[in-house]
Amino acid sequence: MKKLLISTVMFFAMLGCSLKSTIRDTAQDITNNTVAMLDDAIDKITQESESWQATLHELAENLTDEAQSTIRNEVQNLANRTIAAAGSELRCNVDFLGARVVQALQRIKAEVLKKPIPARNPAICQVVPSAIDMNLMPSRRNKVDISGYDFDNQSLKLYLVTNTNQKLDVTHALNRLSHYHLVLNLGSNGVLLNNASKHLILEYKNNAMSSIAITQPVVPDCKEEEVSFSPDVVTYMPPRTRGDRDYGGNGPSVTSNVKIYVDNNTIKAKVKMLARETKSDWTTAEGESVFTIYTAPSSRRIVSIVSDNETSTNYLDSNHAEDFFETGSGELIKRFAFVGDTAGDEAGTRTRVKVTFNRVRVKLKEIGNCNE
């Protein structure tokens, strides 16, 4: 009886080991079969990208074993995601979709083999428009569509880079419509672009996925032009600086100088006059004064004075009348008119110079919306 009991125990022990081995072998066969079907699908799609849809359908149909049901569901989900990403409005090309399907099947294969599963990283297949044209009205450049794959559950970041390379986080303007469709909002509640905007960068895990150029309006070179003008007549009476106020018929000896120059965006004339008695107490009237004779338009900058910018003259006064001196068309001053000596006191009260200008020519340069 004891020998019978031992034999029975040994029989069931051997049967149990055999059953476990059979189950293990069966599971391994299913795994090998599944991996082989995955490898066949990967090879086929790698060689013919356009076959991805038919290949996935065939693969799902061949995964008939109950143990393969989970893998079959993953393949069917992959097919559905890829069909969505292939929509005509997004135009992901066949090669792109084939490559993404192959990567997804490799992840499924790693899962079956219980190996480390490669990361599922997002990818971009198309950006519309490919660049943002700031020449367009804001209403015609208010969004950017990005099509691709695996945008769901990913920490994507959007940055605006300025022309000084400042990097601003504008992720709030990134809208995820689906796992294959992103929209960048460039409207009033999105990314506010201006003439300092350089480009947008879409990043994943601190790596740039896409850089979208922002094309600023072409700025023309600032134009230069010459203009001429006729300044108003300028009169200057220098103050008395020496002696009494009466030249008393002793001259005076008169010198005058007029010079024009650019000051900010105006042209100014500095008028000097000296009238000195030739003897006695040397009665003198002497001084200078500055007059604004031209202001450039706000849209122009004065580059230089093209015509003559200085004229001088001198003479000895010998009467009580006003004295006139014509200089010529090439000079800054066309005519000097002097009052030197008079019948009475004059230094600081009557002695003066009046200048009439020839036309002054200046070079102006456009400012504002142009390239200096």
Side-chain angles (χ1 to χ4, degrees):
M1 184 67 180
K2 186 175 181 181
K3 289 182 179 180
L4 178 61
L5 180 60
I6 292 173
S7 298
T8 302
V9 170
M10 290 181 64
F11 171 77
F12 281 108
M14 292 175 62
L15 180 63
C17 290
S18 176
L19 181 60
K20 288 180 182 178
S21 177
T22 301
I23 292 172
R24 185 169 57 248
D25 291 344
T26 301
Q28 185 61 50
D29 288 343
I30 293 173
T31 297
N32 291 340
N33 185 41
T34 302
V35 169
M37 285 190 285
L38 288 169
D39 282 337
D40 288 343
I42 289 171
D43 290 342
K44 188 171 182 179
I45 297 172
T46 300
Q47 294 173 17
E48 300 177 32
S49 297
E50 66 274 10
S51 70
W52 66 265
Q53 191 169 357
T55 302
L56 289 180
H57 180 69
E58 181 182 354
L59 177 60
E61 286 189 340
N62 290 337
L63 294 166
T64 56
D65 193 280
E66 184 64 28
Q68 298 172 325
S69 61
T70 300
I71 306 302
R72 182 168 60 250
N73 288 336
E74 290 192 38
V75 171
Q76 289 171 340
N77 288 338
L78 172 60
N80 291 335
R81 286 172 66 91
T82 310
I83 289 170
S88 60
E89 75 279 7
L90 295 175
R91 297 187 293 277
C92 290
N93 65 47
V94 171
D95 289 339
F96 173 86
L97 294 173
R100 297 305 290 179
V101 168
V102 166
Q103 291 176 29
L105 291 176
Q106 288 171 338
R107 286 195 297 271
I108 294 173
K109 177 181 172 182
E111 183 181 349
V112 171
L113 295 173
K114 295 182 172 34
K115 292 183 177 181
I117 300 174
R120 184 166 63 89
N121 297 324
I124 292 173
C125 68
Q126 191 173 47
V127 178
V128 179
S130 57
I132 301 164
D133 187 354
M134 294 295 284
N135 286 292
L136 300 176
M137 295 291 292
S139 60
R140 296 182 59 197
R141 51 172 175 80
N142 58 4
K143 71 183 179 75
V144 175
D145 287 291
I146 299 178
S147 59
Y149 216 91
D150 293 338
F151 292 149
D152 51 333
N153 301 319
Q154 306 289 3
S155 55
L156 301 174
K157 302 287 285 185
L158 180 67
Y159 295 97
L160 172 64
V161 180
T162 69
N163 55 16
T164 58
N165 290 323
Q166 184 180 11
K167 194 176 180 182
L168 308 175
D169 189 338
V170 290
T171 307
H172 70 275
L174 183 63
N175 297 284
R176 186 183 288 106
L177 301 189
S178 68
H179 71 85
Y180 59 88
H181 189 184
L182 300 174
V183 173
L184 309 188
N185 179 5
L186 304 181
S188 59
N189 61 338
V191 183
L192 300 180
L193 304 178
N194 55 37
N195 57 8
S197 303
K198 187 177 180 181
H199 59 265
L200 288 164
I201 298 177
L202 183 63
E203 289 189 359
Y204 173 66
K205 293 184 178 179
N206 297 320
N207 292 316
M209 293 179 63
S210 179
S211 178
I212 305 167
I214 300 170
T215 58
Q216 297 290 347
V218 176
V219 180
D221 291 336
C222 295
K223 296 179 181 178
E224 292 187 356
E225 61 179 339
E226 283 190 14
V227 300
S228 65
F229 62 94
S230 294
D232 293 335
V233 173
V234 170
T235 300
Y236 173 60
M237 180 182 297
R240 178 178 64 88
T241 58
R242 184 177 178 180
D244 58 23
R245 295 183 179 277
D246 187 8
Y247 290 112
N250 302 313
S253 174
V254 178
T255 299
S256 183
N257 171 268
V258 181
K259 184 176 183 177
I260 60 175
Y261 58 94
V262 178
D263 181 22
N264 291 324
N265 216 29
T266 66
I267 293 180
K268 293 186 176 179
K270 180 182 288 187
V271 180
K272 296 181 178 181
M273 181 179 178
L274 167 66
R276 177 179 290 119
E277 190 177 13
T278 57
K279 61 178 184 179
S280 187
D281 64 350
W282 311 101
T283 295
T284 303
E286 182 179 12
E288 63 180 48
S289 187
V290 175
F291 303 85
T292 299
I293 61 172
Y294 177 77
T295 300
S298 58
S299 61
R300 299 290 186 271
R301 174 175 62 85
I302 300 173
V303 177
S304 62
I305 297 169
V306 178
S307 56
D308 186 57
N309 67 347
E310 185 173 9
T311 303
S312 298
T313 193
N314 60 83
Y315 79 106
L316 182 63
D317 189 20
S318 59
N319 56 54
H320 292 170
E322 187 173 16
D323 301 303
F324 298 92
F325 297 91
E326 304 288 337
T327 57
S329 59
E331 296 279 347
L332 169 64
I333 302 303
K334 180 180 181 180
R335 178 186 302 112
F336 287 95
F338 293 101
V339 172
D341 194 13
T342 65
D345 293 341
E346 58 276 317
T349 57
R350 297 181 183 177
T351 299
R352 49 97 174 143
V353 60
K354 182 167 65 174
V355 295
T356 303
F357 293 86
N358 282 305
R359 291 188 70 83
V360 176
R361 289 184 294 115
V362 297
K363 181 181 289 186
L364 302 180
K365 193 166 189 176
E366 186 180 13
I367 58 175
N369 298 321
C370 59
N371 184 11
E372 284 274 355

